[in-house]
Amino acid sequence: MSDIISAIGFCNRTGKGDLSVLDASLREIAETGANACEIGIYAEEIIAGGRIIEDRTRRVTDIVRPYGFQKLSLHGQIISNFMDRQHLHLQKKVVRAMLELCDRLGAGILVHHSGAALLGPEENGADLDRMERDALAEMGEVARGYGVRIVLENIFTTESGQYRQTPSQVAETVRAVGSDNVVALIDFSHAYIESTFKGLDFRDQLRAMAPVTGHLHVHDSFGLPYTRKTFYHPAEATALGIGDLHLPIGWGDIAWEEIFSELTFLPDTTLIMEIDSGRFLDQQPACLQQARKLATLVNDRAAATAREALRA
């Protein structure tokens, strides 16, 4: 039986768009002993108007290939949004290019943010849901041709009047698309913040997502929405515990062991720690050790269930 969580690693340190930090940031991850890496490819200026820039892509390939991570994922645009009616055709062009980049770089996963929009006078959430699902189904077919999974990430509300799916609704979207190449991505901190903001049960939201989830973003927080957005330094947000902090495991108050003792995910799920490596590089070895323990909780429980089923 293959493990439920099959690889564990970190997201890389994103650069300024000139590829100057890509090699060093991948080396930092490799030196921890992690066997997975997620590249913030959106920051490296290799797509222009939905077209791949060939010379840049060759340089990225030359940098990435020697590392040989067991699992490689690419993080699509932060502004990726299939509820963006005005720019939907451009959004899809970029995702097509990102899927081709996955193929070229040997990445089996493309991270795509779930959508959001301010509702027009004659528009409702169901209209936006349909638009997103249609686009995901279309891109899922493209992904199938490359053997790539699009993983749909739950986000949190960022402005007043915004339509944003809850984590459980993201799971409903994945089920409605019905493609093996479109699965969910649980971002635990995002789910915590959105649950607090909307008065939802955080753990119930995770339970709804887990059965259709094939990718995990792990980083800690206190689940507090952005009641304040201006800080002179990121450390001030950490001190107050406000917002999407991307803290090392254990710095916030997410009950990681309880969650991983309960939930299971799709086979061959990757666990990526989205911990700010610019600030917390020294914490990565300890976080990797903790993440391996969390994965063992899931994998050992799944193995025991499988053994019991064989004996029955």
Side-chain angles (χ1 to χ4, degrees), residues 12-306:
N12 80 311
R13 204 160 31 89
T14 54
K16 299 176 292 184
D18 60 0
L19 306 182
S20 61
V21 304
L22 181 59
D23 187 41
S25 72
L26 298 183
R27 188 180 311 114
E28 288 166 1
I29 295 171
E31 288 176 351
T32 68
N35 61 355
C37 174
E38 187 160 294
I39 299 176
I41 204 70
Y42 60 85
E44 297 298 355
E45 298 281 14
I46 58 176
I47 297 175
R51 296 179 295 107
I52 290 173
I53 305 302
E54 291 295 337
D55 67 316
R56 273 288 178 96
T57 301
R58 285 192 292 271
R59 287 173 59 195
V60 170
T61 302
D62 289 343
I63 292 169
V64 172
R65 288 285 189 191
Y67 284 97
F69 291 105
Q70 180 182 320
K71 295 287 284 296
L72 185 68
S73 51
L74 301 186
H75 197 305
Q77 296 198 113
I78 304 300
I79 61 165
S80 59
N81 183 359
F82 284 162
M83 294 184 184
D84 177 7
R85 191 179 298 280
Q86 181 179 356
H87 306 106
L88 183 60
H89 64 297
L90 299 177
Q91 294 274 2
K92 290 196 288 188
K93 281 181 70 175
V94 172
V95 171
R96 283 180 180 273
M98 290 281 186
L99 289 167
E100 183 178 342
L101 285 174
C102 284
D103 183 59
R104 294 195 191 191
L105 295 174
I109 298 160
L110 175 65
V111 174
H112 181 83
H113 282 183
S114 58
L118 297 177
L119 292 175
E122 297 183 3
E123 194 169 41
N124 58 46
D127 297 327
L128 297 171
D129 291 344
R130 281 191 292 271
M131 182 167 62
E132 180 177 56
R133 290 173 185 184
D134 288 346
L136 284 168
E138 180 183 342
M139 293 300 105
E141 284 300 298
V142 178
R144 185 166 64 87
Y146 290 122
V148 173
R149 269 180 169 177
I150 297 172
V151 293
L152 185 64
E153 179 176 357
N154 61 292
I155 315 296
F156 52 89
T157 302
T158 56
E159 58 182 311
S160 177
Q162 182 182 69
Y163 175 75
R164 170 78 76 184
Q165 288 187 336
T166 64
S168 61
Q169 289 172 324
V170 172
E172 290 171 13
T173 291
V174 168
R175 290 189 178 94
V177 172
S179 168
D180 290 340
N181 296 91
V182 179
V183 303
L185 185 170
I186 293 179
D187 186 301
F188 293 90
S189 181
H190 292 176
Y192 193 11
I193 292 168
E194 188 71 344
S195 296
T196 303
F197 179 73
K198 291 185 174 175
L200 304 171
D201 187 301
F202 169 47
R203 299 286 288 275
D204 280 348
Q205 292 295 305
L206 297 181
R207 292 180 188 111
M209 283 193 78
V212 294
T213 291
H215 201 72
L216 307 174
H217 278 174
V218 169
H219 50 102
D220 225 331
S221 75
F222 297 90
L224 298 180
Y226 281 101
T227 49
R228 177 189 177 103
K229 294 186 177 180
T230 302
F231 305 95
Y232 288 100
H233 192 278
E236 296 177 319
T238 301
L240 292 171
I242 292 175
D244 187 28
L245 298 168
H246 290 265
L247 297 176
I249 299 171
W251 282 40
D253 64 3
I254 295 176
W256 295 108
E257 289 196 11
E258 288 183 18
I259 290 167
F260 279 75
S261 293
E262 176 191 359
L263 299 184
T264 193
F265 314 100
L266 294 172
D268 201 22
T269 288
T270 301
L271 188 161
I272 292 293
M273 286 169 281
E274 272 199 326
I275 294 163
D276 188 334
S277 61
R279 297 151 62 205
F280 304 123
L281 185 62
D282 64 314
Q283 299 296 310
Q284 284 190 341
C287 286
L288 181 59
Q289 185 177 6
Q290 289 172 289
R292 285 171 172 163
K293 291 178 180 177
L294 297 177
T296 297
L297 291 173
V298 175
N299 293 337
D300 285 357
R301 193 173 66 255
T305 300

